[in-house]
Amino acid sequence: MSSPDRTAGRTSVSAADERILILDFGSQYAQLIARRVREQNVYCEIVRHDISLEAVRRRQPAGIILSGGPSSVYEPKAPRCDPGLFHLGVPVLGICYGMQLACDTLGGRVESAPAREYGRARCDIDSDADLFAGLPGHLDVWMSHGDQVTRVSDDFAPLAHTATCPITAVRHRSLPVFGLQFHPEVTHTPLGSTILHNFLTTICGCQGRWRLGDFARETIERMRERIGNGRVICGLSGGVDSAVTAALLYQAIGPRLSCILVDNGLLRKDEEAAVLAEFTHHFKADLHVVRAEERFLSTLAGVTDPQEKRRRIGHAFIDCFKEEAKKIQGVEFLAQGTLYPDVIESGAAPDGPAATIKLHHNVGGLPAELGFELVEPLRDLFKDEVRRLGLELGLSEDLVWRHPFPGPGLAVRCLGEITKPRLEILRAADEIVVSEIKAAGLYRQTAQAFVVLLPVRSVGVMGDARTYDEAVAVRCVNTDDFMTADWSRLPYDLLARISTRIINEVKGVNRVCYDISSKPPATIEWE
Ligand code: XMP
């Protein structure tokens, strides 16, 4: 651990020490803070707010960030961190609730503000050292708080104020503890990344040396050590996460990796062929394709309830895996492409925040039942990092940039009953949407583009004949993190081409709608 006399900062730390811990007090922005730190090439982890001092020490962080949160520090059950954290000599930056907690713990008063402040504010900087070095005297900042620090002891120096918040930023005079009432991590604080940069470099001494290439090398090495002479199976879904997981493991253990692709009849058009090409030609991995379309369609026959569909698909997957894995001698490990947001959202991280946001996602459920030891080499990465890593590992651009596809596949996009003819309609329409968006050069800007087959039929007229056919919805969204999303403002001409082609080319469809709901309150998938 570093010496306790770092009040204004550190001169340098080694690359291995360049780890920032983000203590999560229930903030909706904890992940965003992590992204901003990683963007500066500094490795970071989100951990529970009540992490023990011992666990913090073991991780040897270069700095600690206390996130915001919905609570009031003066409430008896408010989440608190171990107060010893402020005396470790490791720089601490409290953001919003984090600042209130730091002040409350070290000698300040936090009270309910006269009015809840939410939105843009103009912040006047009273001290341009440390956090605000190199910044102008006035900043646009984003506020989101009901409480604020109203008084601090002489141990603190106020650094900034706004018209309604007299202490908008502080630093402790003898401990390396800083606080910001506003959110530097959101884009509405345009110079927020400079403030974080100041914290990470000048105050914590980080040099921004974390690189994905290092991550790949270290992870491959770690996997080799952990797996030894064991054998790993990895499910391939056609998506980028499982592909990168497999590519990484292939580099680590070569032929002792066996990949299993379950052809469940719910994949997108040409998905299976693309995976086969990548993993037999490029990586020459041991690839097993399980033909299970009949099995999945029969277990789904007549089922319309979304949760029941997912449940049955989950069980069928497990059975397919178990059966195939039995044919492969000596399997001890199961590799899974769990990403950092999955870990955080599912509350599955040992040190993660407790809230479970997405019950329906696959993290956690499958592997325990399978009885294998779990290997998740991507659990520290965000999606864009996984894509970059995929390219470094030699995966094709096509595969790496493919839009995410849910585990239960087209089943959750085929509303109502799932039958082979309906899946064929869906697949054909989906292929048109994706190819038109690609042709328009908008595929990479769009996070996800797909078709949903609705459980509705409507009247139309084709030639001189009346039709009574299926309706589809086109769903295209823009998002960075998939936790919030907005519908893509596709050009009308493109939408017109998509609609005309679907109705002309996909037999059985006579109506195309465009989904203009954002998430929240809608979700990206319809089921
Ligand atoms: P929602 O519909 O929750 O989706 O807004 C957010 C992202 O997650 C994907 N998704 C899934 N991925 N298994 C997965 O592996 C699932 O069961 C699942 N459900 C949704 C969805 O496609 C989007 O990218």
Side-chain angles (χ1 to χ4, degrees), residues 251-304:
Q251 308 265 11
I253 57 166
R256 277 180 294 109
L257 169 72
S258 295
C259 296
I260 298 179
L261 172 66
V262 178
D263 171 13
N264 54 12
L266 304 168
L267 299 176
R268 283 173 289 193
K269 191 157 184 278
D270 299 331
E271 192 115 64
E272 187 193 319
V275 174
L276 281 174
E278 194 87 8
F279 281 90
T280 49
H281 300 151
H282 188 76
F283 282 108
K284 303 196 180 357
D286 175 36
L287 178 59
H288 301 241
V289 180
V290 184
R291 304 272 166 219
E293 182 180 20
E294 280 313 312
R295 182 179 202 157
F296 278 79
L297 293 193
S298 63
T299 188
L300 289 169
V303 179
T304 54

Side-chain angles (χ1 to χ4, degrees), residues 310 358 360-362 404-408 412-413 448 450 482-483 519 522-527:
R310 283 176 185 275
K358 288 183 186 167
H360 61 268
H361 288 204
N362 301 338
F405 189 58
V412 291
R413 297 177 179 173
Q448 249 175 316
F450 57 89
F482 297 88
M483 290 167 69
K519 171 185 179 177
T523 50
I524 296 176
E525 305 289 345
W526 279 44
E527 285 194 339

Side-chain angles (χ1 to χ4, degrees), residues 39-58:
E39 276 164 15
Q40 312 225 15
N41 292 318
V42 175
Y43 182 72
C44 68
E45 283 174 29
I46 300 177
V47 295
R48 288 179 61 100
H49 65 270
D50 53 1
I51 182 171
S52 70
L53 267 190
E54 190 37 48
V56 172
R57 279 203 192 94
R58 261 202 315 274

Side-chain angles (χ1 to χ4, degrees), residues 187-300:
T187 46
H188 303 295
T189 302
L191 293 173
S193 59
T194 311
I195 300 171
L196 286 176
H197 180 80
N198 285 341
F199 177 68
L200 297 172
T201 56
T202 325
I203 297 170
C204 299
C206 296
Q207 297 183 9
R209 282 187 284 179
W210 188 72
R211 297 285 181 276
L212 268 179
D214 301 341
F215 174 86
R217 265 191 305 282
E218 282 163 18
T219 309
I220 288 169
E221 206 37 59
R222 209 157 25 89
M223 292 288 136
R224 263 189 207 132
E225 265 171 37
R226 176 161 169 213
I227 294 159
N229 288 322
R231 181 167 275 282
V232 182
I233 49 168
C234 176
L236 290 178
S237 67
V240 57
D241 306 345
S242 59
V244 174
T245 304
L248 219 120
L249 281 160
Y250 183 75
Q251 308 265 11
I253 57 166
R256 277 180 294 109
L257 169 72
S258 295
C259 296
I260 298 179
L261 172 66
V262 178
D263 171 13
N264 54 12
L266 304 168
L267 299 176
R268 283 173 289 193
K269 191 157 184 278
D270 299 331
E271 192 115 64
E272 187 193 319
V275 174
L276 281 174
E278 194 87 8
F279 281 90
T280 49
H281 300 151
H282 188 76
F283 282 108
K284 303 196 180 357
D286 175 36
L287 178 59
H288 301 241
V289 180
V290 184
R291 304 272 166 219
E293 182 180 20
E294 280 313 312
R295 182 179 202 157
F296 278 79
L297 293 193
S298 63
T299 188
L300 289 169

